[in-house]
């Protein structure tokens, strides 16, 4: 499983962070950081929540 | 010529609770004529427009939380006062108790509580929507999440109400507020020690926080205390305002209330409109780390700027008929409301709050045909420059 993240779309709403804190974080300059680009299968539900939560549709799942 | 600066909007004290009683005429004035305003009394700036709040919340290098989030109230070790990497780490630990996955697990319990509260209300001739539903639901849910013993719950609620009053500013930190905070600290210490001596094996939120670990780091004792305070402050009173305020609007507008009964798939959008319209948090403040120019004025390094969320939620640049309560509002065409803020400090409890408002609407519309204020009775509001909302909402319910 792979996180596909479109940085140009990201407006830092931080919804992904609330949905999946295991996968998304913020750098000190405020930009989004992906903690694990190839997360284990047990985090699929968490990643799907983050995909659903993003108002900009900046995140998708690549298998 | 139109007088663009009515005298009544000179020298506005944004920390004074009464300033935010029926504030929308004032917010409209500032939205239109003075989008960046310097409050001389408190030495802080205020912004109102949607795009200005977004700009500030996104620029987390220029506008920080570490110097405090309210005027003249010093920061504490809670995550709301952290910036950058420290904030990310701390928030990751705290949010281990708040993901949508955990919220889905909460739904059954929350529905049970709502059903029971509505049962009780339907047996009464007259109810108080605030006490009997809007305050009771978040309080019980949070108490359940934390595992607070039944006999302590009423006291905890009272202390939190006092602590909220202190949030208006140092002039409002009375002896009662200090006593309430001290009592809450003792209550926290008691709960903390209970969990330590039980070996931290429980599934309550405090135990989840004690056990949370990220790259070998854990929340220390003072952080635990302030996250515990924040959960109560952020979770109880604000959700109460949203549920009560939403039902108040709907009681005045039977057509929209009936629409939700006819088609419950409209409820999630109605929840967003309620949260936009009520906007329980009046503001949060940030501190400038450098001189920053906006609307031809300069926010100086070290000065605070208040983000007036309820004004932004009624910004006509974003919302059509902003003062109209409309459950059909198309947020994808207009703008998402800012009641939860945005950026790194976006409300951690947003999914919990949405769940509680949604379940309240589902249960009420399904079982209550109408609600009206009894003759001779009136709504009462909390006066506050921090969080606003209904204090009393007397109502007579008609069962379906």
């Amino acid at each position: 499983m792979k996180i596909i993240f479109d940085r140009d779309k990201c407006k830092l709403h931080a919804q992904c962070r609330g949905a999946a804190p295991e996968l998304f974080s913020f750098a000190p300059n405020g930009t989004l950081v992906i903690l694990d680009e190839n997360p284990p299968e047990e985090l699929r539900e968490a990643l799907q929540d983050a995909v659903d939560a993003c108002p900009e549709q900046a995140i998708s799942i690549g298998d | 010529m139109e007088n663009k600066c009515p005298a009544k909007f000179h020298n506005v004290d944004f920390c004074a609770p009464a300033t935010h009683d029926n504030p929308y005429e004032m917010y409209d004035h500032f939205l239109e004529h003075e989008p960046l305003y310097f409050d001389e009394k408190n030495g802080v700036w205020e912004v109102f427009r949607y795009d200005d709040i977004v700009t500030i919340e996104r620029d987390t290098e220029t506008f920080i939380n570490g110097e405090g989030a309210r005027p003249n109230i010093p920061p504490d070790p809670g995550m709301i006062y952290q910036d950058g990497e420290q904030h990310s780490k701390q928030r990751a630990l705290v949010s281990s108790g708040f993901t949508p996955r955990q919220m889905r697990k909460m739904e059954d319990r929350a529905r049970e509580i709502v059903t029971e509260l509505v049962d009780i209300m339907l047996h009464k001739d007259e109810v108080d929507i605030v006490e009997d539903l809007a305050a009771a639901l978040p309080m019980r849910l949070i108490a359940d999440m934390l595992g607070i013993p039944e006999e302590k719950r009423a006291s905890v609620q009272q202390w939190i109400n006092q602590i909220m009053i202190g949030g208006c500013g140092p002039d409002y930190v009375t002896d009662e507020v200090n006593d309430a905070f001290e009592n809450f600290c003792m209550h926290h210490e008691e709960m903390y020690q209970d969990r330590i001596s039980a070996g931290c094996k429980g599934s309550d939120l405090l135990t989840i926080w004690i056990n949370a670990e990220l790259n070998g780091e854990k929340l220390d004792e003072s952080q635990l205390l302030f996250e515990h305070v924040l959960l109560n402050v952020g979770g109880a009173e604000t959700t109460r305002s949203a549920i009560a305020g939403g039902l108040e609007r709907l009681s005045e507008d039977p057509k929209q209330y009936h629409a939700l009964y006819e088609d419950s798939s409209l409820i999630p959008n109605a929840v967003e409109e309620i949260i936009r319209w009520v906007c329980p948090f009046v503001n949060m403040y940030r501190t400038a780390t450098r001189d920053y120019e906006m609307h031809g004025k300069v926010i100086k390094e070290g000065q605070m700027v208040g983000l007036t969320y309820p004004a932004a939620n009624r910004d006509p640049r974003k919302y059509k008929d902003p003062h109209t309560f409309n459950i059909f509002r198309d947020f994808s065409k207009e703008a998402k409301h800012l009641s939860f803020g945005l950026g790194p400090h976006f409300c951690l409890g947003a999914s919990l709050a949405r769940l509680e408002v949604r379940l309240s609407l589902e249960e009420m519309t399904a079982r209550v045909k109408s609600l009206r204020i009894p003759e001779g009775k009136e709504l009462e509001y909390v006066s506050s420059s921090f969080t606003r909302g209904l204090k009393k909402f007397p109502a007579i319910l008609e069962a379906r």
Side-chain angles (χ1 to χ4, degrees):
Chain A
M1 187 168 60
K2 191 172 161 46
I3 301 180
I4 299 170
F5 171 59
D6 186 339
R7 193 166 291 279
D8 293 337
K9 283 188 187 167
C10 177
K11 296 272 180 354
L12 295 170
H13 299 293
Q15 305 270 13
C16 58
R17 174 51 186 276
E22 302 95 329
L23 296 173
F24 300 93
S25 190
F26 286 94
N29 66 5
T31 58
L32 191 78
V33 176
I34 294 172
L35 298 173
D36 184 352
E37 293 201 13
N38 297 288
E41 195 56 35
E42 64 259 30
L43 288 176
R44 183 177 287 273
E45 193 189 351
L47 179 54
Q48 187 61 52
D49 282 339
V51 170
D52 296 343
C54 178
E56 310 293 339
Q57 294 169 339
I59 309 163
S60 54
I61 304 176
D63 287 293
Chain B
M1 201 178 125
E2 184 195 2
N3 180 0
K4 287 207 167 176
C5 223
K8 62 178 167 178
F9 301 128
H10 278 155
N11 302 318
V12 181
D13 172 0
F14 275 84
C15 288
T19 299
H20 302 275
D21 297 344
N22 303 312
Y24 288 103
E25 189 194 346
M26 172 191 71
Y27 293 162
D28 280 347
H29 164 81
F30 287 109
L31 278 166
E32 185 60 30
H33 303 294
E34 290 182 87
L36 180 64
Y37 176 77
F38 190 69
D39 167 355
E40 302 269 353
K41 164 115 195 328
N42 301 291
V44 294
W45 295 91
E46 304 286 334
V47 293
F48 306 90
R49 288 184 186 167
Y50 189 100
D51 285 341
D52 292 342
I53 292 184
V54 171
T55 301
I56 289 173
E57 292 247 50
R58 280 188 188 153
D59 188 350
T60 52
E61 284 192 354
T62 307
F63 296 101
I64 60 167
N65 281 33
E67 300 293 320
R70 310 210 59 73
N72 307 312
I73 293 186
D76 64 45
M79 66 174 174
I80 198 166
Y81 298 114
Q82 309 304 319
D83 294 294
E85 207 179 339
Q86 177 55 36
H87 173 259
S88 299
K89 273 193 259 175
Q90 204 166 321
R91 180 157 170 142
L93 292 170
V94 177
S95 61
S96 51
F98 279 95
T99 63
R101 281 157 285 160
Q102 270 142 333
M103 293 312 118
R104 281 195 284 274
K105 286 186 216 151
M106 297 288 302
E107 177 155 350
D108 291 344
R109 175 61 191 138
R111 191 179 292 279
E112 231 173 72
I113 298 171
V114 179
T115 306
E116 191 192 319
L117 293 171
V118 175
D119 281 343
I120 296 168
M121 288 201 298
L122 286 172
H123 281 97
K124 290 187 179 179
D125 295 334
E126 187 186 319
V127 302
D128 175 1
I129 294 287
V130 175
E131 194 187 324
D132 294 334
L133 175 67
L137 171 61
M139 193 176 71
R140 277 210 212 171
L141 205 53
I142 289 173
D144 281 359
M145 288 166 81
L146 285 163
I148 299 174
E150 199 65 49
E151 68 276 7
K152 286 294 277 288
R153 293 182 177 196
S155 312
V156 172
Q157 178 69 21
Q158 273 183 354
W159 300 329
I160 291 301
N161 285 344
Q162 285 295 330
I163 292 170
M164 300 298 294
I165 294 168
C168 292
D171 292 351
Y172 306 93
V173 182
T174 58
D175 289 349
E176 285 84 25
V177 173
N178 284 322
D179 287 349
F181 189 71
E182 210 169 293
N183 279 320
F184 189 89
C185 290
M186 287 192 292
H187 158 70
H188 169 81
E189 185 59 22
E190 208 176 286
M191 282 181 65
Y192 176 77
Q193 292 303 340
D194 277 356
R195 275 138 191 87
I196 297 294
S197 51
C200 298
K201 299 228 185 312
S203 58
D204 65 276
L205 195 51
L206 192 55
T207 303
I208 292 176
W209 284 344
I210 294 170
N211 290 332
E213 196 179 317
L214 183 73
N215 307 326
E217 288 193 49
K218 294 168 79 91
L219 294 166
D220 66 29
E221 280 188 48
S222 64
Q223 288 167 340
L224 283 169
L225 167 66
F226 284 99
E227 302 310 350
H228 189 179
V229 175
L230 188 61
L231 170 69
N232 282 281
V233 167
E237 182 147 332
T238 50
T239 311
R240 165 180 110 183
S241 300
I243 295 170
L247 286 170
E248 190 274 321
R249 278 297 84 201
L250 290 165
S251 74
E252 289 287 310
D253 194 334
K255 247 178 151 171
Q256 295 198 55
Y257 185 78
H258 188 71
L260 296 177
Y261 165 68
E262 291 273 291
D263 180 1
S264 63
S265 73
L266 297 172
I267 287 179
N269 200 66
V271 169
E272 297 311 310
E273 177 64 349
I274 286 171
I275 296 170
R276 178 192 78 90
W277 201 89
V278 177
C279 197
F281 272 109
V282 174
N283 49 32
M284 287 287 179
Y285 287 77
R286 306 286 182 251
T287 306
T289 58
R290 61 179 174 91
D291 289 1
Y292 187 89
E293 203 186 317
M294 192 179 237
H295 300 297
K297 296 172 184 174
V298 178
I299 301 169
K300 294 256 190 233
E301 179 183 339
Q303 285 183 327
M304 275 191 158
V305 54
L307 315 174
T308 315
Y309 301 117
N313 280 352
R314 308 274 183 110
D315 186 343
R317 288 155 198 82
K318 295 288 169 187
Y319 298 102
K320 197 174 156 242
D321 304 325
H323 296 298
T324 304
F325 177 81
N326 174 14
I327 58 165
F328 300 100
R329 189 175 290 281
D330 186 346
F331 288 97
S332 64
K333 285 211 182 98
E334 298 187 351
K336 291 172 73 72
H337 62 72
L338 294 179
S339 302
F340 294 126
L342 84 163
H345 295 277
F346 183 85
C347 175
L348 190 61
S351 24
L352 181 60
R354 285 175 165 133
L355 172 74
E356 292 173 89
V357 181
R358 172 169 64 80
L359 293 176
S360 299
L361 289 187
E362 285 177 6
E363 194 67 16
M364 284 294 287
T365 53
R367 299 177 61 197
V368 177
K369 195 172 170 195
S370 71
L371 54 164
R372 62 177 175 83
I373 300 172
E375 215 145 302
K377 296 280 176 82
E378 274 180 13
L379 300 169
E380 282 178 43
Y381 290 86
V382 179
S383 189
S384 171
S385 56
F386 184 18
T387 70
R388 294 175 313 140
L390 281 161
K391 187 160 68 181
K392 272 198 187 324
F393 178 3
I396 293 172
L397 308 187
E398 185 190 353
R400 278 203 197 279

